[in-house]
Each structure stands twice: as structure tokens, then as C-alpha cells.
Amino acid sequence: LPRRPASSAHIKWPNDVLVGESESGDDGEGGADPDPGGRGGRKVAGILTEMEGEADRISWIVPGIGVNANIDAETLPAGATSLQEELDGPVDRRRVAATLLERFAALAGTPDRMDRILPAWRERASTLGRRVRVDTPNGPVTGTAIDVEPPGALVIETADGIRRVHAGDCEHLRDADD
């Protein structure tokens, strides 16, 4: 699968929005590693969740979206950036929030949402076609990410066959010839 251009935003499975990736994992600017965590770019936004429950049930869950808007890059953790930094100036946070909510509602508020969301996710996924390591509760899964399936599972081709991962911390790995 083709990789996204360095200037575009893309999704690193399962919940990070990144900017600045190139095929080598370097943004071409030289100097310090722009991607110290193996993310495949600089994190500008992500999905957040808080949950309380027991082993067999969830008491409550609160999902949210975090966007680094008008934050000075030097105050962010390594590997993160902000819209202000990427767009060379402050952004109108109300306009960003309104646009985000409008586009979310347009995509998710329809009966055919899964038929629309997964193709849109695949189109913007920088994880697909890459060698990855996903740390799961049952141990690491390493291989090539080949698809995203309902309800958002990452499909990984491993040396032992196809694995579907529903949750975990995903790291983009460099190919052996990089």
C-alpha cells in the first residue's frame, strides 16, 4: 500500500493522528530523530478513553478526542507537535472543534457508517503495509499490518499466520533493508 505524503495527516492504528512521516521514518530535516517512539510521524491528535469496570463488565466509559492546537512544540513531549507548529501560526480552536464535530457527525451519523468509516480509515492509515509490533495483553505480535477489519481490529500477517489484534500499543518498525 502507498504511504501518505510527508505533509499530510495520517492515522497510526489504533488512535493516533500523525503528521510528517516519510518512508524512512525521517521527515527529511536531519538532526535529531523526529520519531523517537517508532510512531511514524509526530502526534498531533488522538482518541482518549477513561473506563471503570471489572473483569467481566464495564461500569462506564468516556471517549474523547485530544487535539494539540495552539501549543508551543517545545512544551510537548518528544514526538508530538501542534497544529500551530505545523501551520506556522495559531488556529481558531472553535473552528477546529466545529469542523471536527461536523465531519464526525457526517461520517458516523448514518446507517451505513461502518461501510464508510473503514474505507476512510484504510485510506488514511500509515500503519497498513508496514512492519509493526503490537504489544497486547497476551504478548507482542510482530509482522506486517495488512488491513483494518470491523470493529477496528488490525490484521497482521505474522510468520505464524494471520492475527487480528483488537487492542494494544503499536510500534512501526523499520524494514530490515532500511
Side-chain angles (χ1 to χ4, degrees), residues 13 133-141 156 163-169:
W13 184 90
R133 173 190 163 116
V134 181
D135 292 324
T136 74
N138 298 322
V141 177
I156 303 172
R163 297 274 309 269
R164 284 162 182 77
V165 178
H166 295 273
D169 184 29

Side-chain angles (χ1 to χ4, degrees), residues 101-110 116:
L101 292 171
E102 287 167 2
R103 292 193 180 171
F104 178 78
L107 188 61
T110 61
R116 297 175 65 212

Side-chain angles (χ1 to χ4, degrees), residues 40-96:
R42 295 177 305 279
K43 185 173 180 177
V44 70
I47 304 298
L48 316 162
T49 57
E50 286 290 324
M51 179 179 80
E52 184 174 296
E54 299 173 22
D56 61 342
R57 68 184 175 116
I58 296 173
S59 298
W60 55 265
I61 186 166
V62 178
I65 300 170
V67 178
N68 296 336
N70 295 326
I71 302 172
D72 291 328
E74 57 271 356
T75 65
L76 292 166
T81 189
S82 69
L83 293 175
Q84 173 179 279
E85 184 73 19
E86 296 301 312
L87 300 173
D88 295 324
V91 296
D92 181 340
R93 292 183 303 187
R94 282 181 266 185
R95 186 170 161 211
V96 169

